[in-house]
Amino acid sequence: MSRFRYFVVVCLMAMYAGVQNSKTQMNPSAEEGDDPHSLVVNTVSGKVKGFDQEGTQAFLGIPYAKVERFQPPLPVDRWDTIRICDHWGPQAMQNVGGRTLSEAEMSEKNSCVLNVWTTDRKARKPVMVWLHGGGFDSGTSAWNPGMGLAKKDVVVVSVNHRLNILGFLDLSACSEKYKNSANVGMLDVVAALKWVRDNIGNFGGDPDNVTIFGESGGGGKVGTLLCMPPAKGLFHKAIILSGTILNVNTKEMSEKLGVAVLKELGISTDDIDRIKEVSYKQLYEAGQRAMAASIGTRRPGTPMMWGFGPTPDGTTLLQQPFQPGFAAISNDIPIIIGTTFNELQRLAYQQPMTFEQAREALLPTFGSDTDEYIQAFKEAYPDAIPQDLLSIDWLFRPKTLITADEIAESRNAKTYTYMFTWRSPLTKASQHGHELKFCFNTLHHSKNELPQATAEDLKLADLMSSAWAQFAHTGDPNIKGLPKWKPYTKKNGVMMVFDHKCLIRSNPDRHLQQLIDKHCFKQLDEFRKTHP
């Protein structure tokens, strides 16, 4: 071939390649979405392009639903171009303390987004769907990135959804049009699970093997899904971390609150659609005033919640979770449930203290049972120091134990319980949320809580994240490196203790928790007397 002819052929090939590349960018083909190196994936709504995040393929801010205020979520509109998903989507509207956030950071209409982390799009791996904490009032999936856990041979998904008054204002007593408004925030989560069912196979996930998990308010959301008929069949296992603050909303309470909100806004039921025009700030503030004027405002740290959260309606939600168990529709769902040693308790570790001083400080709470409490504590924790008596969790563990007793006896599936007792070098405590960086295997993202991870810390993170992933695979969390973790029963009381030295304990603190339940849940007891 002459040099001229060779030059012509090369130019023609280059022109052809350029045209094809241009066509691909304007109208990406199905084949590109199947290329494991392109980071472009097909979804039912359009193509998304992710990015490499610490050795995983990450896709952030994928829309899974669109919303109309106080209405159930709707399917998103299709898009024709490739949607670039390389940054967090907006969080749901919430109180941010007077700060001003852009529409890209916080949005009412565009916050139903989710994130996916995977390592092999050609695989069929278990899927773990994370629900963030913050009660039902605040929070964002951006708090807990999933790339570390995804390296444990699972696909991780995390979700943003409507919160507080936008997610849970019950206007059903005011208009049939708003009959589902009390639970649209949780219906968003159901929509996200449907997205997983319909799309996750293209990311290497198995839609027939989905585990939901969450901490604090996220654990409450997991418990709520266990009682929701619309969610049945969309997940197959559940993990609840520090989630047993009891939601006591009743239909009567939520309807009363809804009427009070309209009154605060000066909107009549005949003109109820005006509520769609109210700014979020005005709406949120009216909700707080209405709560104070009707059902009362919840104090943070109390053992029960009410107000703008899920409400049983017999259709969307059958019952409140943890009261003491879950709806029968979830009897075949294996569950892990547990707490941390200190949770949200005010800590006493920064001051010297004798056991007698601890006793004096305990008297206002435990009265004539104080000495019995101290003895039960010492039996449960023989190495305890005086400060532990005041700093141990009085909020989550008692009701978690009651729930574990109930579900282990009444359900077909297995139950596993744990306690996280690792202590921060900064606070000397195992506080609410401290376990998350271990479950997600992201110690390097937690410098404020753990400036320098030790080899023991890294080993514990590897074990916890591996156990969580193994549970997602099989419904059994047992892995090499941990003691044998048997299913829980009320009789055996088996509890995995996660710490630098992991061990199994059996009913170590039942009497202690009974005393805590007796003295620290009087507000709940009074509520149940007036709301049988």
Side-chain angles (χ1 to χ4, degrees):
M1 180 184 297
S2 70
R3 289 185 178 180
F4 178 77
R5 290 178 63 191
Y6 177 79
F7 178 77
V8 171
V9 170
V10 169
C11 288
L12 289 172
M13 291 176 65
M15 290 174 60
Y16 178 79
V19 170
Q20 290 302 106
N21 184 57
S22 175
K23 287 181 177 179
T24 296
Q25 290 181 3
M26 291 186 293
N27 186 23
S29 66
E31 285 74 16
E32 182 183 12
D34 293 332
D35 179 355
H37 303 293
S38 73
L39 294 181
V40 175
V41 180
N42 293 308
T43 76
V44 295
S45 301
K47 293 179 183 294
V48 296
K49 184 173 184 178
F51 67 107
D52 181 279
Q53 188 174 36
E54 299 183 15
T56 67
Q57 298 177 37
F59 303 80
L60 306 183
I62 303 175
Y64 67 85
K66 66 178 183 180
V67 299
E68 178 184 342
R69 187 176 278 190
F70 307 127
Q71 295 297 328
L74 298 167
V76 297
D77 297 327
R78 284 190 55 83
W79 56 86
D80 296 325
T81 58
I82 297 175
R83 181 180 287 270
I84 305 302
C85 295
D86 61 357
H87 59 279
W88 298 110
Q91 67 185 25
M93 300 299 293
Q94 55 196 271
N95 183 1
V96 291
R99 291 181 294 138
T100 301
L101 299 181
S102 68
E103 176 71 14
E105 296 171 297
M106 185 170 73
S107 171
E108 177 173 348
K109 290 187 174 296
N110 300 310
S111 63
C112 282
V113 294
L114 53 78
N115 317 293
V116 181
W117 292 266
T118 185
T119 58
D120 182 1
R121 301 207 311 268
K122 297 297 183 182
R124 194 171 174 85
K125 298 182 180 185
V127 183
M128 301 188 72
V129 178
W130 172 250
L131 304 176
H132 66 73
F136 293 90
D137 182 71
S138 60
T140 169
S141 59
W143 287 347
N144 306 109
M147 57 277 187
L149 185 56
K151 293 177 182 177
K152 295 295 183 178
D153 200 33
V154 296
V155 175
V156 178
V157 178
S158 61
V159 179
N160 284 359
H161 61 94
R162 283 175 285 181
L163 300 165
N164 53 73
I165 194 167
L166 290 178
F168 303 101
L169 174 61
D170 187 356
L171 298 173
S172 61
C174 307
S175 170
E176 175 68 14
K177 182 177 180 179
Y178 295 96
K179 63 181 181 181
N180 293 314
S181 64
N183 292 314
V184 294
M186 287 305 303
L187 289 175
D188 289 350
V189 179
V190 172
L193 291 172
K194 289 179 178 178
W195 184 97
V196 168
R197 178 196 62 195
D198 297 338
N199 295 281
I200 206 64
N202 291 343
F203 294 83
D206 181 358
D208 296 321
N209 191 3
V210 175
T211 298
I212 54 173
F213 69 130
E215 186 266 348
S216 190
K221 295 166 195 174
V222 171
T224 301
L225 287 170
L226 288 165
C227 304
M228 291 184 68
K232 183 174 174 58
L234 297 175
F235 64 92
H236 313 92
K237 306 174 189 71
I239 305 174
I240 300 169
L241 303 90
S242 304
T244 47
I245 287 184
L246 302 185
N247 180 357
V248 296
N249 272 352
T250 64
K251 192 63 176 165
E252 178 186 5
M253 291 171 65
S254 66
E255 288 180 352
K256 183 178 180 180
L257 178 56
V259 170
V261 168
L262 290 184
K263 182 178 179 181
E264 287 291 332
L265 292 170
I267 296 175
S268 70
T269 56
D270 293 335
D271 200 16
I272 192 171
D273 284 347
R274 279 181 51 210
I275 198 168
K276 296 180 181 181
E277 302 166 8
V278 177
S279 72
Y280 174 75
K281 184 175 184 294
Q282 292 174 307
L283 188 65
Y284 186 88
E285 291 174 350
Q288 299 306 300
R289 296 193 304 270
M291 197 182 306
S294 57
I295 62 175
T297 303
R298 175 181 179 252
R299 300 191 312 274
T302 54
M304 49 196 264
M305 67 153 288
W306 63 88
F308 298 114
T311 299
D313 59 6
T315 304
T316 300
L317 179 62
L318 299 180
Q319 65 171 77
Q320 295 290 9
F322 316 114
Q323 310 256 1
F326 309 111
I329 58 172
S330 64
N331 279 354
D332 294 320
I333 305 294
I335 292 174
I336 295 177
I337 186 169
T339 60
T340 70
F341 184 76
N342 300 100
E343 293 289 2
L344 293 171
Q345 190 74 355
R346 180 177 297 180
L347 303 178
Y349 294 121
Q350 303 306 317
Q351 59 195 65
M353 184 177 294
T354 66
F355 276 105
E356 183 55 35
Q357 288 172 324
R359 182 181 182 279
E360 289 298 316
L362 290 165
L363 280 170
T365 300
F366 294 95
S368 61
D369 287 336
T370 298
D371 290 333
E372 188 176 354
Y373 170 87
I374 294 172
Q375 182 59 34
F377 196 103
K378 290 181 176 180
E379 291 173 0
Y381 303 102
D383 298 326
I385 61 175
Q387 292 88 336
D388 285 334
L389 293 166
L390 295 169
S391 304
I392 192 175
D393 167 38
W394 288 353
L395 192 58
F396 292 91
R397 171 70 177 161
K399 297 304 181 186
T400 297
L401 191 63
I402 290 170
T403 294
D405 287 348
E406 168 66 22
I407 63 178
E409 299 299 319
S410 63
R411 302 165 67 254
N412 303 323
K414 295 176 181 178
T415 300
Y416 297 88
T417 74
Y418 74 90
M419 181 180 286
F420 183 78
T421 62
W422 172 92
R423 297 192 184 222
S424 163
L426 301 181
T427 65
K428 312 302 180 186
S430 180
Q431 291 173 273
H432 193 61
H434 273 180
E435 77 279 31
L436 296 185
K437 55 185 170 287
F438 292 88
C439 298
F440 278 92
N441 204 17
T442 51
L443 298 190
H444 59 297
H445 284 267
S446 306
K447 297 296 184 182
N448 59 326
E449 298 173 4
L450 187 59
Q452 186 62 50
T454 66
E456 288 181 307
D457 295 330
L458 293 170
K459 179 182 177 182
L460 177 58
D462 180 63
L463 286 172
M464 283 198 77
S465 56
S466 295
W468 265 218
Q470 178 65 16
F471 180 76
H473 274 267
T474 66
D476 184 330
N478 281 284
I479 59 168
K480 184 178 180 180
L482 285 179
K484 177 65 177 178
W485 192 355
K486 295 181 180 179
Y488 179 93
T489 67
K490 184 175 182 179
K491 183 177 181 180
N492 70 25
V494 167
M495 176 179 77
M496 175 67 74
V497 177
F498 283 107
D499 208 326
H500 285 156
K501 181 181 179 181
C502 297
L503 53 90
I504 293 292
R505 301 197 68 189
S506 297
N507 272 325
D509 60 348
R510 183 170 293 277
H511 183 44
L512 173 66
Q513 297 305 326
Q514 289 170 343
L515 290 169
I516 294 173
D517 189 53
K518 174 182 176 182
H519 289 276
C520 297
F521 288 82
K522 292 179 179 178
Q523 183 188 22
L524 177 62
D525 295 338
E526 287 301 315
F527 176 85
R528 285 176 168 166
K529 287 179 183 178
T530 56
H531 297 78

